[in-house]
């Protein structure tokens, strides 16, 4: 979580897991990365437990100004001793079909991005910020410059090894995975991020990017990400 992130209504946080809906980035006609990340979700006390919190967001006059469709979304986040599970369910409550490109824009910390390696995304097709499709490296991914990749095929699990921990990340329902680090140049242009913060973060984001999800009236879609954490030592 960036120290410079203004925790203000209507502003996305630079950290945690912003929920991207109804669109990832600029893939649709609504606002960049959608309005769900800046909306006030309702907390469902009845559905939540000691280790599981359930939140809800439904279409309203305000959301219809940004995206003219009826929907309901339920976000469930559960924690266990070594794992975090996030689950997003979207239902079409209207009469018209929905098309959307959701994502979970998770920021992960690392003590040193240059000592961080990501496996599970080797030898697969990725799209690089609109400049074309490429085949990824045969080895682990190491971030050494600005990186903004949409992996079109996703390996399972994705293993992120940082100096202090190992994360095993799996996803379902989401067909793509985005990996982002702005590196020094772009980090300077992001006002809610410190100039050096790029050294200590990596975003690994399950998403639907290249082929929007179509949802007929009355139907639902679900996507999830699960992260299992193993410290490199007992204090990690
Ligand atoms: O998920 C990667 C990305 O779409 C990048 O292109 C990068 O700009 C990042 O999200 C942050 O977007 P934001 O709107 O939060 O500044």
């Amino acid at each position: 979580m960036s120290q410079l992130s203004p925790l203000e209504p209507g502003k996305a946080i630079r950290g945690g897991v912003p929920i991207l809906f109804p669109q990832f980035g600029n893939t649709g006609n609504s606002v960049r990365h959608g309005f769900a990340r800046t909306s006030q979700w309702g907390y469902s006390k009845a559905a939540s437990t000691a280790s599981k919190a359930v939140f809800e967001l439904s279409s309203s006059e305000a959301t219809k100004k940004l995206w003219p469709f009826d929907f309901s979304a339920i976000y469930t986040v559960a924690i266990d001793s070594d794992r975090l599970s996030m689950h997003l369910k979207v239902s079409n409550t209207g009469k018209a079909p929905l098309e959307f490109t959701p994502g979970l824009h998770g920021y992960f910390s690392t003590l040193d991005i240059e000592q961080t390696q990501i496996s599970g995304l080797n030898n697969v097709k990725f799209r690089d910020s609109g400049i074309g499709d490429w085949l990824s490296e045969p080895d682990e991914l190491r971030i050494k410059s600005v990186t903004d990749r949409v992996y079109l095929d996703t390996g399972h699990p994705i293993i992120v090894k940082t100096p202090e921990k190992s994360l095993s990340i799996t996803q379902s329902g989401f067909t793509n995975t985005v990996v982002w680090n702005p590196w020094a140049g772009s980090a300077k242009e992001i006002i809610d991020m410190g100039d050096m913060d790029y050294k200590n973060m990596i975003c690994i984001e399950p998403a639907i990017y290249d082929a929007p999800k179509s949802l007929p009236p009355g139907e639902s879609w679900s996507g999830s990400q699960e992260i299992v954490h193993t410290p490199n030592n007992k204090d990690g």
Side-chain angles (χ1 to χ4, degrees):
M1 182 75 196
S2 165
Q3 299 293 316
L4 301 180
S5 190
L7 294 175
E8 287 169 17
K11 294 233 164 92
I13 55 168
R14 181 71 63 198
V17 187
I19 300 167
L20 309 187
F21 176 83
Q23 72 180 54
F24 190 99
N26 298 318
T27 52
N29 296 324
S30 188
V31 290
R32 177 179 164 72
H33 279 330
F35 50 75
R37 67 175 179 164
T38 52
S39 295
Q40 177 82 43
W41 290 61
Y43 172 61
S44 172
K45 199 171 173 192
S48 301
T49 65
S51 60
K52 183 179 85 173
V54 181
F55 301 90
E56 296 167 338
L57 180 71
S58 296
S59 44
S60 62
E61 275 182 28
T63 67
K64 283 190 183 173
K65 284 186 187 142
L66 301 168
W67 195 57
F69 298 99
D70 287 303
F71 71 92
S72 81
I74 299 176
Y75 178 63
T76 304
V77 54
I79 16 180
D80 208 333
S81 56
D82 65 345
R83 70 194 60 210
L84 172 70
S85 308
M86 292 165 283
H87 183 269
L88 178 66
K89 179 178 178 188
V90 175
S91 302
N92 183 347
T93 55
K95 293 191 169 58
L98 297 185
E99 277 213 343
F100 55 101
T101 50
L104 298 175
H105 199 303
Y107 289 75
F108 296 92
S109 66
T110 170
L111 283 175
D112 184 357
I113 189 65
E114 296 191 60
Q115 302 295 322
T116 297
Q117 59 183 53
I118 302 162
S119 58
L121 295 171
N122 331 17
N123 276 322
V124 293
K125 206 158 84 157
F126 70 92
R127 189 160 295 170
D128 195 345
S129 299
I131 58 169
D133 290 354
W134 309 86
L135 193 65
S136 65
E137 311 73 358
D139 309 319
E140 289 83 16
L141 172 65
R142 287 174 178 271
I143 310 288
K144 295 183 175 136
S145 59
V146 59
T147 301
D148 196 357
R149 294 182 172 189
V150 181
Y151 284 87
L152 302 175
D153 305 314
T154 303
H156 289 288
I158 298 168
I159 308 285
V160 181
K161 283 194 180 145
T162 75
E164 72 276 25
K165 61 178 177 281
S166 172
L167 301 173
S168 174
I169 304 176
T170 49
Q171 65 184 61
S172 66
F174 293 101
T175 45
N176 309 130
T177 304
V178 178
V179 175
W180 178 60
N181 181 297
W183 212 252
S186 304
K188 284 203 174 78
E189 289 161 17
I190 301 176
I191 51 172
D192 56 357
M193 187 169 180
D195 287 358
M196 295 298 156
D197 284 356
Y198 76 94
K199 287 176 181 277
N200 301 112
M201 56 76 68
I202 181 74
C203 287
I204 313 268
E205 313 156 34
I208 293 180
Y209 181 93
D210 65 330
K213 179 72 199 165
S214 301
L215 205 55
E219 294 204 3
S220 300
W221 163 89
S222 290
S224 62
Q225 185 189 47
E226 185 174 82
I227 301 144
V228 179
H229 169 268
T230 312
N232 289 348
N233 60 54
K234 67 178 174 46
D235 303 319

